[in-house]
């Protein structure tokens, strides 16, 4: 005598759940040339998965004098493997000052650095999936960790760049 229909369904569900990929930890850092506590005092991070699930991390307070050129941890979030779009909004009070989107593919734990430069304040990127960094429109996948997704730098040394953060 075979398994009852409910037993077969239960076994299938257990097997499917057992095959689900483990979530990964995504660590997000911010590098910017905005002045902490003067031009910006907070950051908000939203993460959207390829399935459309939107998660907003708690707002981060940025203290005056924080060193933002070397990086500031904005958050850590457990995400399923796959493509994710991060939208980081820098704030002064509760008003947005600058926004930067980054697209990442997560398969294992990883870190990503979001660059938000003052030189992008008046730049509007028209191409789909493009964002401004250092006054130039680049792919949303362009981060310090994925230089292959970025255009070749227009400078050789940091001293050649304006701002130096874009090199």
């Amino acid at each position: 005598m075979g398994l009852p229909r409910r037993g077969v369904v239960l076994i299938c569900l257990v097997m499917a759940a057992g095959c689900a990929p483990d979530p990964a930890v995504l660590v997000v850092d911010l590098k910017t040339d905005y002045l902490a506590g003067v031009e910006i005092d907070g950051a908000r991070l939203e993460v959207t998965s390829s399935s459309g699930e939107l998660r907003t991390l708690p707002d981060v307070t940025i203290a005056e004098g924080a060193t933002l050129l070397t990086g500031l941890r904005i958050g850590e979030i457990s995400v399923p493997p796959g493509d994710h779009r991060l939208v980081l909004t820098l704030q002064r009070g509760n008003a947005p000052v600058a926004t930067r989107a980054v697209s990442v593919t997560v398969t294992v734990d990883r870190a990503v650095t979001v660059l938000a430069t003052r030189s992008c304040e008046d730049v509007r990127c028209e191409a789909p999936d493009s964002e401004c960094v250092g006054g130039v429109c680049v792919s949303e996948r362009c981060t310090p960790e994925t230089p292959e997704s970025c255009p070749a730098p227009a400078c050789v040394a940091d001293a050649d760049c304006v701002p130096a953060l874009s090199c």
Side-chain angles (χ1 to χ4, degrees):
M1 178 163 194
L3 284 172
R5 184 178 176 106
R6 277 191 264 181
V8 171
V9 171
L10 180 59
I11 290 171
C12 290
L13 288 174
V14 169
M15 289 177 63
C19 295
D22 291 333
V25 175
L26 178 62
V27 176
V28 181
D29 293 331
L30 164 68
K31 284 188 179 181
T32 184
D33 56 354
Y34 284 96
L35 298 175
V38 178
E39 295 174 298
I40 61 171
D41 58 14
R44 171 172 289 157
L45 179 64
E46 295 177 336
V47 180
T48 305
S49 68
S50 56
S51 67
E53 178 188 2
L54 170 66
R55 294 169 53 195
T56 303
L57 277 67
D59 288 0
V60 173
T61 300
I62 299 174
E64 185 170 345
T67 307
L68 301 177
L69 286 174
T70 57
L72 175 70
R73 178 72 31 95
I74 296 298
E76 296 181 17
I77 184 170
S78 179
V79 297
D83 292 328
H84 300 276
R85 186 168 192 260
L86 317 175
V87 177
L88 180 71
T89 303
L90 301 179
Q91 303 168 319
R92 176 76 180 149
N94 286 327
V97 173
T99 301
R100 169 79 202 283
V102 172
S103 293
V104 296
T105 299
V106 177
T107 55
V108 296
D109 294 351
R110 74 171 289 185
V112 65
T113 303
V114 178
L115 299 176
T117 57
R118 187 183 298 117
S119 57
C120 290
E121 287 182 351
D122 296 322
V123 176
R124 301 290 171 253
C125 299
E126 301 298 327
D129 302 324
S130 68
E131 285 287 318
C132 179
V133 176
V136 178
C137 293
V138 299
S139 165
E140 281 186 1
R141 294 198 172 273
C142 177
T143 69
E145 296 81 17
T146 56
E148 67 278 4
S149 297
C150 305
C155 52
V156 176
D158 284 346
D160 300 336
C161 296
V162 179
L165 181 61
S166 65
C167 283

